């Protein structure tokens, strides 16, 4: 790990201003992903700004009848919150499907959104990776590259990494919004569907955040009801990243919403695909995965996504 | 065991001499700039005060020191084990303010004021914690390396069930959670046992859960 200096922030806007001012600074909250990457020298911040003391660890109610989740609320606290379990069960289910008990106790809401991909080539510093070292190439797309776990849609010739979060998939299906404070002290609201960028030619750019901008909260609209499910298909029964995950909210009239994890650089959802839900899983996935560019190794994800949704619809 | 502080001094000495050579040849800073754009704006060490097993401790550490290394290398509390050092195996599990965490993925300097409990703090050979006694009674280990983490995780996990934290296998999210084999297995998935003592670990934890019920 590279040497770094460390400070504790006491005010969100001041923390954002400080992060913008110090070149090479990063925020740290739970640190579960950042420390892992710092040990591998994939992340090499020169300065860490500890945001744990900012008091952003509460879940409050919004005027619109939704929830405002402070960025420092732990994954455990969020999934266990009585309001979340009752009104947004897809979120509890998604968080419970990710990581381990120890990690969920430490991992935060904002940090979960900002975690980096688990593409094996991003982690292997002996191999080219455009996300880690821009311009070095994509080992997954190179001759002999392994891509079974990787993305099938929203990817580019530069990068086929996926966003690894389960929580974010549920938040996407719930129409969540990310709230931030900018280095100038302004509040910004970014719909979660626009928060994670598609890689294009710049896979190293992953979010819509500007330098120094700090996530302060995630807001959920008023509860939408319906039957809410999250199904994660993976290689182990627990503590493994998704091959494909499906977040589903289905209303009594058959309408609803679908978001996918494990297939794209961000939680994958479209209004057009949602509209197909009354016609079944095949209709939804034909629309949602239209334009998919899988590799030979991960083309199975198209079939798996459709069958996973079909199984979920059949459960009712 | 080389304390991190000595390594830091060696590295700083090395960087200083590299910088001196670079300055002499008119290329000041370039070698470092290739690696990182900026230099740290503050000290590379920090002082932290926390309690470990009820005892107040104050340590001045390299900022890079994880809680795990602070416990093992600086406080000589070697009961907490280093397995993968990347949060995957759970050998480093200890509790902070009553919650189980991977101490390998947490910076020691970030634990100001925290109450940390390690395996050394929960029982002794003469007066073991019920979970320690149950692991002995059920042969919940072979080599024993993962055991402190398993025990710490198991104790905290039962508290999580009592506090109503649901899991991936919980059926009704609004009902009281039953302590079943499936619940225990799912909640212990962050603790790996290479000897494969899982069946006996499950039996030990189940016994403690039943005693506490």
């Amino acid at each position: 790990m590279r040497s770094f200096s460390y400070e504790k922030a006491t005010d969100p806007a001041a923390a954002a201003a400080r992060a913008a001012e110090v070149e090479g600074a990063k925020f740290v909250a739970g640190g579960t992903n950042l420390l892992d990457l710092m040990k591998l020298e994939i992340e090499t911040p020169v300065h860490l700004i500890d945001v744990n003391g900012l008091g952003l660890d509460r879940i409050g109610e919004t005027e619109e009848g939704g929830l405002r989740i402070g960025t420092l609320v732990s994954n455990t606290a969020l999934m266990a919150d009585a309001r979340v379990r009752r009104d947004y069960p897809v979120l509890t289910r998604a968080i419970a499907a990710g990581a381990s008990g120890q990690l969920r106790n430490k991992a935060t809401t904002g940090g979960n959104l900002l975690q980096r991909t688990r593409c094996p080539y991003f982690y292997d510093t002996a191999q080219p990776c455009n996300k880690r070292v821009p311009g070095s190439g994509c080992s997954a797309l190179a001759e002999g590259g392994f891509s079974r776990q990787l993305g099938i849609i929203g990817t580019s010739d530069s990068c086929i990494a996926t966003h690894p979060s389960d929580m974010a998939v549920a938040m996407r299906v719930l129409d969540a919004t990310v709230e931030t404070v900018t280095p100038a002290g302004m509040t910004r609201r970014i719909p979660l569907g626009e928060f994670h960028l598609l890689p294009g030619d710049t896979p190293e750019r992953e979010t819509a955040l500007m330098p120094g901008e700090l996530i302060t909260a995630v807001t959920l609209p008023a509860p939408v009801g319906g039957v809410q499910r999250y199904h994660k298909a993976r290689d182990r029964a627990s503590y493994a990243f998704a091959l494909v995950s499906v977040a589903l909210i289905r209303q009594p009239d058959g309408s609803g919403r679908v978001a996918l994890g494990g297939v794209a650089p961000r939680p994958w959802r479209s209004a057009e695909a949602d509209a197909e839900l009354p016609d079944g899983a095949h209709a939804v996935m034909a629309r949602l995965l239209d334009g998919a560019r899988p590799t030979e190794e991960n083309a199975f994800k198209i079939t798996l996504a459709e069958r996973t949704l079909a199984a979920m619809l059949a459960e009712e | 065991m080389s304390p991190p502080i000595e390594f830091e001094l060696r590295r700083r000495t090395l960087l200083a001499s590299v910088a001196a050579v670079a300055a002499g040849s008119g290329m000041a800073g370039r070698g470092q700039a290739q690696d990182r754009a900026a230099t740290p704006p503050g000290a590379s060490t920090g002082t932290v005060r926390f309690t470990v097993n009820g005892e107040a401790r104050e340590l001045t550490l390299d900022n890079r020191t994880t809680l795990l290394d602070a416990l093992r290398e600086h406080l000589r509390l070697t009961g907490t084990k280093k397995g993968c050092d990347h949060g995957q195996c759970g050998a480093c599990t200890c509790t902070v303010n009553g919650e189980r965490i991977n101490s390998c993925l947490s910076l020691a300097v970030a634990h100001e004021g925290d109450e940390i409990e390690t395996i050394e703090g929960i029982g002794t050979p003469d007066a073991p914690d019920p979970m320690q006694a149950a692991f002995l009674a059920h042969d919940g280990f072979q080599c024993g390396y993962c055991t402190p983490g398993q025990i710490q995780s198991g104790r905290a996990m039962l508290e999580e069930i009592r506090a109503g934290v649901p899991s991936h296998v919980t059926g009704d999210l609004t009902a009281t959670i039953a302590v079943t084999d499936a619940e225990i297995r799912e909640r212990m998935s962050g603790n790996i046992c290479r000897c494969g003592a899982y069946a006996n670990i499950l039996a030990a934890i189940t016994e403690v859960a039943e005693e506490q019920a």
Side-chain angles (χ1 to χ4, degrees), chain B residues 55-190:
Chain B
E55 191 178 337
R57 299 284 198 162
E58 179 174 323
L59 293 171
T60 297
L61 301 164
D62 188 302
N63 291 333
R64 292 174 287 189
T65 313
T66 60
L67 178 59
L68 174 62
D69 285 342
L71 292 169
R72 288 181 56 84
E73 311 295 334
H74 295 267
L75 299 176
R76 303 295 176 192
L77 291 167
T78 53
T80 307
K81 302 303 185 198
K82 181 181 283 192
C84 70
D85 209 25
H86 286 276
Q88 297 174 3
C89 76
C92 69
T93 304
C94 66
T95 64
V96 174
N97 302 328
E99 293 186 341
R100 57 175 171 160
I101 68 162
N102 299 114
S103 62
C104 74
L105 289 184
S106 200
L107 293 174
V109 291
H111 285 283
E112 180 72 27
D114 283 346
E115 292 179 14
I116 295 146
E117 189 177 62
T118 70
I119 191 76
E120 289 91 345
I122 67 164
T124 64
D126 294 332
D129 177 81
M131 191 67 80
Q132 289 173 312
F135 268 66
L136 284 169
H138 290 276
D139 274 340
F141 51 86
Q142 285 184 42
C143 82
Y145 196 80
C146 73
T147 312
Q150 299 279 2
I151 288 173
Q152 290 293 70
S153 195
R155 295 169 83 241
M157 177 271 290
L158 292 178
E159 290 297 325
E160 289 167 8
I161 293 177
R162 267 192 286 277
V165 176
S167 84
H168 179 60
V169 299
T170 304
D172 183 346
L173 291 182
T174 55
T176 303
I177 301 163
V179 185
T180 62
D181 286 1
E183 284 283 359
I184 293 172
R185 286 179 183 280
E186 161 61 26
R187 291 166 188 270
M188 292 297 290
S189 69

Side-chain angles (χ1 to χ4, degrees), chain B residues 1-13:
Chain B
M1 284 183 229
S2 64
I5 196 81
E6 286 177 23
F7 174 77
E8 165 65 6
L9 287 172
R10 284 202 300 274
R11 187 166 176 276
R12 286 167 66 91
T13 307

Side-chain angles (χ1 to χ4, degrees), chain A residues 96-113:
Chain A
S100 67
Q102 289 95 317
L103 289 169
R104 289 191 296 265
N105 281 343
K106 203 77 177 110
T108 63
T109 303
N112 187 307
L113 295 177

Side-chain angles (χ1 to χ4, degrees), chain A residues 1-6 8 23 32 35-36 39 44-46 50 79 85 93 96 102-103 105-106 234 238-239, chain B residues 36-38 41-44 63-64 85-87 93 100 104 106 109-110 160 166 168 170-171 173 186 189 191:
Chain A
M1 198 187 306
R2 306 289 184 89
S3 186
F4 58 87
S5 50
Y6 171 89
K8 291 181 193 296
E23 197 180 347
T32 52
L35 264 287
D36 186 20
K39 289 180 182 190
T44 55
V46 300
D50 185 336
M79 69 187 255
R85 281 186 283 149
R93 292 292 184 197
Q102 289 95 317
L103 289 169
N105 281 343
K106 203 77 177 110
R234 48 184 161 174
S238 184
Y239 199 15
Chain B
R36 290 204 290 183
S44 60
N63 291 333
R64 292 174 287 189
D85 209 25
H86 286 276
T93 304
R100 57 175 171 160
C104 74
S106 200
V109 291
E160 289 167 8
H168 179 60
T170 304
L173 291 182
E186 161 61 26
S189 69
N191 292 84

Side-chain angles (χ1 to χ4, degrees), chain A residues 39-280:
Chain A
K39 289 180 182 190
L40 298 166
E41 299 195 353
I42 294 167
E43 294 276 12
T44 55
V46 300
H47 186 65
L48 286 185
I49 300 171
D50 185 336
V51 296
N52 285 297
L54 293 180
L56 302 172
D57 56 354
R58 285 178 283 276
I59 304 174
E61 281 152 36
T62 66
E63 286 176 11
E64 295 78 31
L67 290 183
R68 187 170 189 280
I69 303 156
T71 190
L72 296 168
V73 173
S74 73
N75 284 182
T76 300
L78 181 55
M79 69 187 255
D81 185 271
R83 294 161 293 189
V84 175
R85 281 186 283 149
R86 184 189 65 219
D87 297 332
Y88 307 93
V90 68
L91 181 54
T92 291
R93 292 292 184 197
I95 295 173
S100 67
Q102 289 95 317
L103 289 169
R104 289 191 296 265
N105 281 343
K106 203 77 177 110
T108 63
T109 303
N112 187 307
L113 295 177
L114 294 175
Q115 67 179 306
R116 311 294 303 274
T117 184
R118 298 315 197 281
C119 174
Y121 299 108
F122 178 70
Y123 267 76
D124 185 349
T125 53
Q127 304 275 351
C129 167
N130 284 322
K131 188 184 279 297
R132 180 166 36 75
V133 182
S136 61
C138 175
S139 300
L141 288 172
E143 184 74 28
F146 292 100
S147 57
R148 180 172 175 276
Q149 288 275 356
L150 304 179
I152 59 173
I153 195 163
T155 53
S156 73
D157 291 339
S158 293
C159 182
I160 60 169
T162 59
H163 193 268
S165 173
D166 291 293
M167 181 196 83
V169 181
M171 285 181 167
R172 179 73 183 96
V173 91
L174 290 166
D175 279 332
T177 300
V178 180
E179 278 188 19
T180 72
V181 60
T182 70
M186 306 293 289
T187 298
R188 203 154 76 102
R189 292 183 178 81
I190 308 166
L192 187 60
E194 297 166 21
F195 183 78
H196 296 104
L197 306 180
L198 297 184
D201 296 331
T202 54
E204 71 280 10
R205 293 180 59 236
E206 295 180 348
T207 72
L209 295 176
M210 62 179 78
E213 190 170 10
L214 174 70
I215 298 176
T216 51
V218 173
T219 58
L220 301 179
V224 294
V227 173
Q228 303 190 7
R229 296 182 189 280
Y230 188 79
H231 192 97
K232 182 175 182 179
R234 48 184 161 174
D235 287 333
R236 290 194 300 260
S238 184
Y239 199 15
F241 290 96
L243 292 167
V244 167
S245 68
V246 179
L248 168 69
I249 299 177
R250 198 181 192 206
Q251 301 298 344
D253 65 2
S255 67
R257 312 167 176 191
V258 176
L260 294 182
V263 296
R266 63 184 181 206
W268 202 250
R269 182 184 167 203
S270 78
E272 295 77 17
D274 285 353
E276 301 285 349
L277 194 55
D279 291 328

